[in-house]
């Protein structure tokens, strides 16, 4: 829009949090010299817990919901409103009912909560956990086997960073900003087209058919986020942007710290 373009012209430096953000800047004719690559992050240290702690908490929380250690658990974390498409993960859960050992955890509240619960009143193995604070949500990351982000739009999706920090792979929609950056197809997770529940089902089925896939991808996810998506690295991007302002002629100039 004209107003958006006017605003962008007044910005000296841009920090792209991923490939989709960079592509957007470039589509607006922003010179590459003005764009600094950053990697969107969370406090990864917050999610560190040793093995015995996580195994004990995982066992306790699963037991509280009647979930067996051998069951496969999907996790949704987000506000229950239209943009997050929570109805898609419920439809996915319905697809998976025939598999017998799949449970779905729903964390969050919002305007769609009442209608969704009414629709799913008799669905087995679907657990509504309501709002959970960050400490509680961290424990559920360790309890689940796969994070699902079905959003029709997501600037990035920091829940993916959080899940990866806990060794939890992710299945995300193509509209998720982290898709293609943090979520590497077939390595740290899978990406499916927005609204394509059948496609999402096929990806989940891969985990059900290959019992080692979840751990392999979870380990890769954790390694990637801890090595390349940390707060100190994002701070370096901000520092770089502030240290190289643009001259009037469009050239970069360094500033002594």
């Amino acid at each position: 829009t004209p107003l958006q373009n006017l605003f962008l012209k007044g910005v000296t430096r841009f920090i792209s949090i991923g490939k989709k953000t960079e592509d957007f800047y470039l589509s607006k004719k922003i010179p590459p010299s003005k764009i600094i690559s950053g990697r969107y992050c969370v406090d990864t240290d917050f999610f560190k817990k040793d093995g015995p702690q996580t195994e004990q908490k995982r066992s306790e929380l699963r037991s509280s919901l009647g979930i067996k250690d051998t069951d496969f658990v999907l996790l949704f974390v987000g506000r229950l409103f239209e943009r997050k498409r929570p109805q898609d993960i419920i439809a996915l859960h319905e697809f998976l009912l025939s598999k017998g050992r799949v449970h779905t955890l729903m964390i969050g509240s919002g305007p769609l909560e009442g209608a969704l619960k009414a629709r799913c009143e008799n669905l087995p193995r679907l657990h509504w956990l309501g709002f959970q604070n960050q400490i509680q949500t961290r424990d559920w990351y360790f309890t689940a086997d796969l994070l699902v982000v079905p959003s029709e739009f997501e600037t990035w999706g920091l829940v993916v960073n959080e899940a990866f920090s806990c060794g939890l792979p992710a299945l995300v929609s193509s509209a998720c900003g982290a898709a293609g950056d943090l979520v590497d197809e077939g390595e740290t997770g899978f990406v499916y087209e927005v609204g394509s529940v059948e496609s999402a089902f096929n990806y989940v089925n891969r985990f059900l058919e290959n019992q080692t896939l979840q751990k392999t991808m979870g380990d890769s996810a954790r390694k990637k986020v801890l090595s390349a998506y940390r707060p100190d690295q994002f701070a370096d991007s901000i520092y770089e942007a502030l240290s190289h302002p643009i001259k009037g002629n469009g050239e970069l100039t360094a500033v002594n710290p």
Side-chain angles (χ1 to χ4, degrees):
T1 64
L3 184 59
Q4 183 185 72
N5 292 335
L6 181 63
F7 170 79
L8 293 175
K9 285 182 180 179
V11 177
T12 303
R13 300 305 300 275
F14 296 80
I15 298 177
S16 66
I17 60 174
K19 185 178 184 302
K20 291 186 177 182
T21 309
E22 183 176 3
D23 288 345
F24 170 77
Y25 291 151
L26 293 174
S27 73
K28 294 297 181 180
K29 309 302 181 185
I30 304 299
S33 61
K34 283 191 173 187
I35 303 172
I36 296 294
S37 177
R39 289 170 174 167
Y40 219 22
C41 61
V42 296
D43 181 5
T44 50
D45 287 341
F46 173 81
F47 295 93
K48 288 182 180 177
K49 296 180 76 172
D50 62 36
Q53 278 185 312
T54 59
E55 288 301 319
Q56 180 180 355
K57 181 59 69 173
R58 176 183 173 92
S59 180
E60 289 175 356
L61 290 178
R62 284 189 168 224
S63 179
S64 71
L65 296 176
I67 302 174
K68 299 177 182 178
D69 289 340
T70 54
D71 290 340
F72 194 85
V73 179
L74 305 180
L75 176 65
F76 171 90
V77 180
R79 191 160 181 262
L80 302 177
F81 74 123
E82 288 79 0
R83 182 168 65 82
K84 297 289 185 180
R85 296 186 68 91
Q87 70 275 11
D88 284 1
I89 192 170
I90 292 172
L92 175 60
H93 180 80
E94 291 175 308
F95 265 98
L96 291 162
L97 284 177
S98 62
K99 297 295 180 179
R101 65 184 188 91
V102 178
H103 291 252
T104 299
L105 310 179
M106 302 290 292
I107 291 180
S109 58
L112 294 181
E113 184 173 0
L116 290 172
K117 284 184 175 180
R119 168 190 162 185
C120 306
E121 187 175 2
N122 297 317
L123 279 182
R125 302 190 298 277
L126 179 63
H127 310 275
W128 298 91
L129 304 178
F131 172 80
Q132 302 278 301
N133 63 35
Q134 194 173 41
I135 293 176
Q136 293 169 317
T137 301
R138 176 184 59 188
D139 290 336
W140 289 112
Y141 285 135
F142 288 112
T143 303
D145 295 301
L146 181 67
L147 176 74
V148 181
V149 184
S151 304
E152 67 181 34
F153 173 74
E154 202 71 59
T155 305
W156 178 259
L158 284 175
V159 291
V160 178
N161 295 65
E162 295 176 353
F164 279 17
S165 298
C166 299
L168 184 66
L171 173 64
V172 306
S173 77
S174 54
C176 182
D181 281 282
L182 189 53
V183 182
D184 288 329
E185 183 75 12
E187 294 186 17
T188 62
F190 293 107
V191 180
Y192 72 98
E193 287 300 316
V194 178
S196 180
V197 177
E198 184 175 354
S199 176
F201 166 80
N202 290 333
Y203 282 124
V204 175
N205 208 36
R206 293 194 193 185
F207 290 99
L208 299 178
E209 293 176 348
N210 182 351
Q211 297 183 3
T212 66
L213 186 61
Q214 193 277 339
K215 186 179 188 312
T216 300
M217 296 184 74
D219 288 345
S220 296
R222 190 169 190 274
K223 181 179 179 180
K224 181 166 187 175
V225 79
L226 293 181
S227 65
Y229 288 81
R230 302 191 314 268
D232 61 300
Q233 292 174 319
F234 195 73
D236 287 343
S237 300
I238 297 174
Y239 179 79
E240 183 179 353
L242 293 174
S243 300
H244 296 81
I246 304 293
K247 291 181 177 180
N249 60 7
E251 297 178 354
L252 298 180
T253 179
V255 173
N256 292 326

